[in-house]
Amino acid sequence: MTSTTDARTDPRTEPTRRGGAADTTRQAVVLVTSLLAIVAAFIGSGAVGGTPIQDAAGGWLDADSTLVAPARPAFGVWSVIYTGMLAYAIWQVLPAQRTSARHRRIGYAVAASLVLNAVWIGVVQLDLLWLSLPVIVILVAVLAWLFVQLRRMPPNGAVDAFVTDGSIGLYLGWVIVATAANATAVLQAAGFEGWGLPAEAWAIGVISAAALVGIALAIWGRGRIAPALSLSWGLAWVAVGRLTDEPSSPATGIAAAVAAGVVLLVTLVARVASIRSARDDRQAGAAGRA
Protein backbone atom coordinates (compact mmCIF):
# COMPACT_ATOMS: atom_id res chain seq x y z
CA MET A 1 0.00 0.00 0.00
CA THR A 2 1.29 3.48 -0.85
CA SER A 3 1.97 5.59 2.22
CA THR A 4 0.48 9.05 2.71
CA THR A 5 3.94 10.55 2.35
CA ASP A 6 4.56 8.73 -0.91
CA ALA A 7 1.24 9.94 -2.30
CA ARG A 8 2.21 13.52 -1.57
CA THR A 9 5.62 13.23 -3.23
CA ASP A 10 4.67 11.11 -6.22
CA PRO A 11 3.86 13.59 -9.03
CA ARG A 12 1.38 11.15 -10.57
CA THR A 13 -0.76 11.24 -7.43
CA GLU A 14 -0.01 14.81 -6.35
CA PRO A 15 -3.22 16.35 -5.03
CA THR A 16 -4.54 19.21 -7.14
CA ARG A 17 -4.11 22.51 -5.39
CA ARG A 18 -5.91 25.71 -6.18
CA GLY A 19 -3.97 27.61 -8.84
CA GLY A 20 -2.14 30.71 -7.70
CA ALA A 21 0.27 33.33 -9.00
CA ALA A 22 3.03 30.76 -9.48
CA ASP A 23 0.85 28.71 -11.85
CA THR A 24 -0.25 31.79 -13.78
CA THR A 25 3.38 32.93 -14.13
CA ARG A 26 4.46 29.51 -15.38
CA GLN A 27 1.67 29.41 -17.95
CA ALA A 28 2.56 32.90 -19.18
CA VAL A 29 6.26 32.06 -19.45
CA VAL A 30 5.54 29.01 -21.59
CA LEU A 31 3.23 30.99 -23.87
CA VAL A 32 5.68 33.89 -24.27
CA THR A 33 8.65 31.63 -24.97
CA SER A 34 6.67 29.73 -27.61
CA LEU A 35 6.06 33.03 -29.38
CA LEU A 36 9.74 33.95 -28.95
CA ALA A 37 10.75 30.69 -30.64
CA ILE A 38 8.45 31.42 -33.58
CA VAL A 39 9.86 34.94 -33.97
CA ALA A 40 13.40 33.54 -33.86
CA ALA A 41 12.43 31.01 -36.52
CA PHE A 42 11.23 33.79 -38.81
CA ILE A 43 14.56 35.54 -38.32
CA GLY A 44 16.43 32.31 -39.00
CA SER A 45 14.47 31.79 -42.20
CA GLY A 46 15.54 35.18 -43.50
CA ALA A 47 11.92 36.30 -43.77
CA VAL A 48 12.34 39.34 -41.51
CA GLY A 49 15.89 40.47 -42.11
CA GLY A 50 17.95 37.63 -40.72
CA THR A 51 20.31 35.41 -42.69
CA PRO A 52 18.78 32.07 -43.74
CA ILE A 53 20.29 29.31 -41.62
CA GLN A 54 21.67 27.55 -44.67
CA ASP A 55 23.66 30.68 -45.56
CA ALA A 56 24.77 31.60 -42.04
CA ALA A 57 27.88 30.30 -40.24
CA GLY A 58 29.79 29.88 -43.47
CA GLY A 59 27.11 27.65 -44.97
CA TRP A 60 28.16 24.72 -42.77
CA LEU A 61 24.57 23.96 -41.85
CA ASP A 62 23.30 23.75 -45.41
CA ALA A 63 21.96 20.56 -46.93
CA ASP A 64 25.11 19.95 -48.98
CA SER A 65 27.66 20.82 -46.28
CA THR A 66 28.32 17.36 -44.82
CA LEU A 67 27.39 13.74 -45.37
CA VAL A 68 25.01 13.84 -42.40
CA ALA A 69 23.08 16.94 -43.48
CA PRO A 70 19.43 16.24 -44.36
CA ALA A 71 18.14 17.51 -47.70
CA ARG A 72 16.40 20.89 -47.51
CA PRO A 73 12.78 19.66 -47.58
CA ALA A 74 13.45 17.92 -44.26
CA PHE A 75 13.52 21.25 -42.46
CA GLY A 76 9.83 21.76 -43.19
CA VAL A 77 9.26 19.68 -40.05
CA TRP A 78 10.06 22.81 -38.04
CA SER A 79 6.70 24.27 -39.09
CA VAL A 80 4.96 21.24 -37.59
CA ILE A 81 7.07 21.42 -34.42
CA TYR A 82 6.47 25.14 -33.89
CA THR A 83 2.76 24.66 -34.48
CA GLY A 84 2.72 21.81 -31.98
CA MET A 85 4.62 23.75 -29.34
CA LEU A 86 2.31 26.74 -29.76
CA ALA A 87 -0.65 24.37 -29.41
CA TYR A 88 0.90 23.04 -26.20
CA ALA A 89 1.45 26.57 -24.91
CA ILE A 90 -2.21 27.42 -25.54
CA TRP A 91 -3.39 24.10 -24.08
CA GLN A 92 -1.44 24.48 -20.85
CA VAL A 93 -2.56 28.09 -20.40
CA LEU A 94 -6.24 27.10 -20.24
CA PRO A 95 -7.77 27.48 -16.76
CA ALA A 96 -8.55 23.76 -16.58
CA GLN A 97 -4.83 22.94 -16.93
CA ARG A 98 -3.55 25.48 -14.42
CA THR A 99 -3.15 23.05 -11.53
CA SER A 100 -2.12 20.00 -13.57
CA ALA A 101 0.78 18.25 -11.83
CA ARG A 102 2.09 17.29 -15.25
CA HIS A 103 2.29 20.87 -16.52
CA ARG A 104 3.71 22.04 -13.23
CA ARG A 105 6.49 19.51 -13.60
CA ILE A 106 7.42 20.22 -17.22
CA GLY A 107 6.38 23.85 -17.79
CA TYR A 108 9.65 25.65 -17.16
CA ALA A 109 11.67 22.93 -18.91
CA VAL A 110 9.49 23.40 -22.01
CA ALA A 111 10.13 27.15 -21.78
CA ALA A 112 13.88 26.49 -21.44
CA SER A 113 13.83 24.33 -24.59
CA LEU A 114 12.14 27.11 -26.54
CA VAL A 115 14.63 29.70 -25.30
CA LEU A 116 17.53 27.39 -26.18
CA ASN A 117 16.08 26.98 -29.66
CA ALA A 118 16.02 30.77 -30.08
CA VAL A 119 19.56 31.05 -28.68
CA TRP A 120 20.77 28.44 -31.16
CA ILE A 121 19.36 30.47 -34.03
CA GLY A 122 20.95 33.58 -32.56
CA VAL A 123 24.47 32.15 -32.31
CA VAL A 124 24.23 30.79 -35.85
CA GLN A 125 23.11 34.21 -37.05
CA LEU A 126 26.25 35.62 -35.38
CA ASP A 127 28.36 33.04 -37.27
CA LEU A 128 29.37 31.36 -34.00
CA LEU A 129 29.15 27.83 -35.35
CA TRP A 130 31.30 26.38 -32.57
CA LEU A 131 28.91 27.74 -29.94
CA SER A 132 25.88 26.24 -31.65
CA LEU A 133 26.99 22.72 -30.69
CA PRO A 134 26.91 23.08 -26.87
CA VAL A 135 23.61 24.95 -27.18
CA ILE A 136 21.94 22.17 -29.15
CA VAL A 137 23.45 19.49 -26.89
CA ILE A 138 21.87 21.20 -23.88
CA LEU A 139 18.62 21.47 -25.84
CA VAL A 140 18.52 17.75 -26.60
CA ALA A 141 19.30 17.01 -22.94
CA VAL A 142 16.35 19.16 -21.81
CA LEU A 143 14.05 17.47 -24.30
CA ALA A 144 15.24 14.04 -23.16
CA TRP A 145 14.43 15.02 -19.56
CA LEU A 146 10.98 16.09 -20.69
CA PHE A 147 10.50 12.76 -22.45
CA VAL A 148 11.35 10.93 -19.22
CA GLN A 149 8.89 13.02 -17.21
CA LEU A 150 6.09 12.47 -19.72
CA ARG A 151 6.77 8.75 -19.69
CA ARG A 152 6.52 8.70 -15.90
CA MET A 153 3.39 10.87 -15.73
CA PRO A 154 0.68 9.48 -18.05
CA PRO A 155 -1.36 12.01 -20.04
CA ASN A 156 -4.71 13.22 -18.80
CA GLY A 157 -6.74 12.13 -21.80
CA ALA A 158 -6.34 11.98 -25.56
CA VAL A 159 -5.94 15.73 -26.08
CA ASP A 160 -3.12 15.93 -23.55
CA ALA A 161 -1.41 12.94 -25.16
CA PHE A 162 -1.66 14.44 -28.64
CA VAL A 163 -0.77 18.02 -27.80
CA THR A 164 1.78 17.52 -25.03
CA ASP A 165 3.43 14.17 -25.71
CA GLY A 166 3.07 14.45 -29.49
CA SER A 167 4.55 17.94 -29.79
CA ILE A 168 7.45 17.36 -27.41
CA GLY A 169 8.12 13.95 -28.95
CA LEU A 170 8.37 15.39 -32.45
CA TYR A 171 10.64 18.13 -31.12
CA LEU A 172 12.97 15.59 -29.47
CA GLY A 173 13.18 13.24 -32.44
CA TRP A 174 14.09 15.97 -34.89
CA VAL A 175 16.62 17.64 -32.56
CA ILE A 176 18.46 14.30 -32.23
CA VAL A 177 19.05 14.33 -35.99
CA ALA A 178 19.85 18.05 -35.93
CA THR A 179 22.44 17.47 -33.19
CA ALA A 180 24.14 14.80 -35.26
CA ALA A 181 24.26 17.09 -38.29
CA ASN A 182 25.39 20.06 -36.17
CA ALA A 183 28.23 18.09 -34.55
CA THR A 184 29.42 16.85 -37.93
CA ALA A 185 29.40 20.40 -39.34
CA VAL A 186 31.36 21.78 -36.39
CA LEU A 187 34.00 19.06 -36.66
CA GLN A 188 34.45 19.51 -40.40
CA ALA A 189 34.58 23.29 -40.09
CA ALA A 190 37.32 22.86 -37.47
CA GLY A 191 39.34 20.78 -39.93
CA PHE A 192 38.81 17.38 -38.33
CA GLU A 193 40.14 14.73 -40.73
CA GLY A 194 38.75 11.61 -39.09
CA TRP A 195 42.00 10.17 -37.70
CA GLY A 196 42.60 8.43 -40.99
CA LEU A 197 39.14 6.85 -41.28
CA PRO A 198 37.04 7.57 -44.40
CA ALA A 199 34.42 10.30 -44.13
CA GLU A 200 31.72 7.76 -45.00
CA ALA A 201 32.71 5.58 -42.04
CA TRP A 202 32.26 8.52 -39.68
CA ALA A 203 28.97 9.47 -41.30
CA ILE A 204 27.59 5.95 -40.97
CA GLY A 205 28.78 5.87 -37.36
CA VAL A 206 26.98 9.12 -36.55
CA ILE A 207 23.80 7.91 -38.27
CA SER A 208 23.98 4.62 -36.37
CA ALA A 209 24.34 6.50 -33.08
CA ALA A 210 21.25 8.58 -33.84
CA ALA A 211 19.34 5.43 -34.74
CA LEU A 212 20.41 3.72 -31.51
CA VAL A 213 19.08 6.67 -29.53
CA GLY A 214 15.80 6.34 -31.43
CA ILE A 215 15.66 2.62 -30.67
CA ALA A 216 16.32 3.28 -26.98
CA LEU A 217 13.53 5.85 -26.89
CA ALA A 218 11.19 3.38 -28.60
CA ILE A 219 11.90 0.58 -26.15
CA TRP A 220 11.94 2.65 -22.95
CA GLY A 221 9.03 4.78 -24.11
CA ARG A 222 6.98 1.68 -24.98
CA GLY A 223 6.55 2.63 -28.59
CA ARG A 224 5.95 6.37 -28.38
CA ILE A 225 5.31 7.25 -32.01
CA ALA A 226 6.13 10.97 -32.22
CA PRO A 227 9.91 10.83 -31.58
CA ALA A 228 10.29 7.97 -34.05
CA LEU A 229 8.38 9.83 -36.76
CA SER A 230 10.52 12.97 -36.70
CA LEU A 231 13.79 11.10 -36.16
CA SER A 232 13.04 8.75 -39.06
CA TRP A 233 11.93 11.71 -41.15
CA GLY A 234 15.31 13.35 -40.63
CA LEU A 235 17.26 10.18 -41.38
CA ALA A 236 15.19 9.53 -44.50
CA TRP A 237 16.05 12.98 -45.81
CA VAL A 238 19.72 12.36 -45.07
CA ALA A 239 19.32 9.33 -47.34
CA VAL A 240 17.67 11.42 -50.05
CA GLY A 241 20.40 14.03 -49.83
CA ARG A 242 23.24 11.55 -50.19
CA LEU A 243 21.57 9.55 -52.96
CA THR A 244 20.39 12.49 -55.10
CA ASP A 245 22.53 15.52 -54.20
CA GLU A 246 26.04 16.53 -53.24
CA PRO A 247 28.04 15.36 -51.45
CA SER A 248 27.04 12.08 -53.05
CA SER A 249 27.51 8.95 -50.95
CA PRO A 250 25.42 5.87 -51.78
CA ALA A 251 26.77 4.01 -48.75
CA THR A 252 25.75 6.82 -46.39
CA GLY A 253 22.38 7.16 -48.10
CA ILE A 254 21.61 3.45 -47.80
CA ALA A 255 22.73 3.43 -44.16
CA ALA A 256 20.46 6.38 -43.37
CA ALA A 257 17.50 4.76 -45.10
CA VAL A 258 18.03 1.49 -43.24
CA ALA A 259 18.40 3.37 -39.94
CA ALA A 260 15.12 5.22 -40.53
CA GLY A 261 13.33 1.95 -41.25
CA VAL A 262 14.79 0.18 -38.22
CA VAL A 263 13.73 2.99 -35.86
CA LEU A 264 10.18 2.85 -37.19
CA LEU A 265 10.05 -0.95 -37.06
CA VAL A 266 11.33 -1.17 -33.48
CA THR A 267 8.90 1.55 -32.43
CA LEU A 268 5.95 -0.29 -33.95
CA VAL A 269 6.99 -3.58 -32.33
CA ALA A 270 7.38 -1.84 -28.95
CA ARG A 271 3.99 -0.18 -29.41
CA VAL A 272 2.24 -3.46 -30.15
CA ALA A 273 3.96 -5.10 -27.18
CA SER A 274 2.86 -2.24 -24.92
CA ILE A 275 -0.76 -2.50 -26.07
CA ARG A 276 -0.79 -6.26 -25.55
CA SER A 277 0.77 -5.87 -22.10
CA ALA A 278 -1.84 -3.31 -21.08
CA ARG A 279 -4.63 -5.58 -22.37
CA ASP A 280 -3.25 -8.56 -20.46
CA ASP A 281 -3.02 -6.48 -17.28
CA ARG A 282 -6.66 -5.43 -17.67
CA GLN A 283 -7.75 -9.01 -18.22
CA ALA A 284 -5.74 -10.21 -15.22
CA GLY A 285 -7.28 -7.46 -13.10
CA ALA A 286 -10.78 -8.38 -14.23
CA ALA A 287 -10.11 -12.04 -13.50
CA GLY A 288 -8.84 -11.15 -10.05
CA ARG A 289 -12.00 -9.24 -9.24
CA ALA A 290 -14.28 -12.02 -10.53
Side-chain angles (χ1 to χ4, degrees):
M1 179 180 295
T2 303
S3 69
T4 303
T5 301
D6 289 340
R8 286 198 301 266
T9 56
D10 187 342
R12 292 169 295 183
T13 57
E14 179 185 348
T16 300
R17 303 188 302 272
R18 182 177 179 181
D23 287 313
T24 302
T25 300
R26 184 198 70 249
Q27 290 176 302
V29 168
V30 173
L31 182 59
V32 169
T33 53
S34 71
L35 297 174
L36 170 66
I38 291 172
V39 170
F42 273 106
I43 294 172
S45 70
V48 289
T51 303
I53 293 296
Q54 64 267 23
D55 298 328
W60 280 105
L61 298 172
D62 201 354
D64 59 0
S65 60
T66 73
L67 291 176
V68 186
R72 283 193 180 183
F75 297 93
V77 73
W78 275 120
S79 297
V80 179
I81 292 170
Y82 286 129
T83 300
M85 295 310 294
L86 180 59
Y88 169 73
I90 294 171
W91 167 250
Q92 62 85 42
V93 86
L94 297 177
Q97 305 304 317
R98 181 169 298 153
T99 59
S100 164
R102 217 171 185 239
H103 299 317
R104 281 173 170 164
R105 173 62 67 91
I106 70 173
Y108 282 111
V110 171
S113 76
L114 295 166
V115 170
L116 285 165
N117 187 25
V119 170
W120 184 89
I121 292 173
V123 299
V124 171
Q125 290 288 305
L126 294 172
D127 291 333
L128 299 174
L129 180 64
W130 64 272
L131 186 56
S132 68
L133 183 55
V135 172
I136 201 169
V137 168
I138 296 171
L139 172 57
V140 80
V142 171
L143 291 172
W145 183 88
L146 285 167
F147 183 82
V148 170
Q149 303 313 308
L150 295 178
R151 168 67 177 77
R152 290 174 175 172
M153 302 176 72
N156 299 312
V159 175
D160 191 32
F162 183 78
V163 174
T164 305
D165 300 62
S167 299
I168 294 173
L170 286 175
Y171 196 1
L172 171 61
W174 171 253
V175 172
I176 290 169
V177 177
T179 301
N182 200 155
T184 305
V186 169
L187 287 173
Q188 286 197 209
F192 179 66
E193 296 181 354
W195 295 323
L197 292 175
E200 286 183 332
W202 280 100
I204 293 171
V206 170
I207 289 167
S208 299
L212 286 173
V213 173
I215 290 169
L217 290 177
I219 295 172
W220 190 81
R222 295 184 179 178
R224 296 288 176 99
I225 299 297
L229 287 178
S230 54
L231 199 157
S232 297
W233 167 270
L235 292 175
W237 281 106
V238 171
V240 172
R242 301 295 70 80
L243 294 172
T244 66
D245 198 1
E246 296 298 329
S248 176
S249 173
T252 304
I254 292 171
V258 170
V262 169
V263 170
L264 285 176
L265 178 60
V266 172
T267 301
L268 290 174
V269 170
R271 184 74 172 182
V272 170
S274 177
I275 293 171
R276 287 179 176 174
S277 176
R279 182 191 61 195
D280 291 344
D281 288 344
R282 287 194 300 270
Q283 290 176 344
R289 291 190 297 271

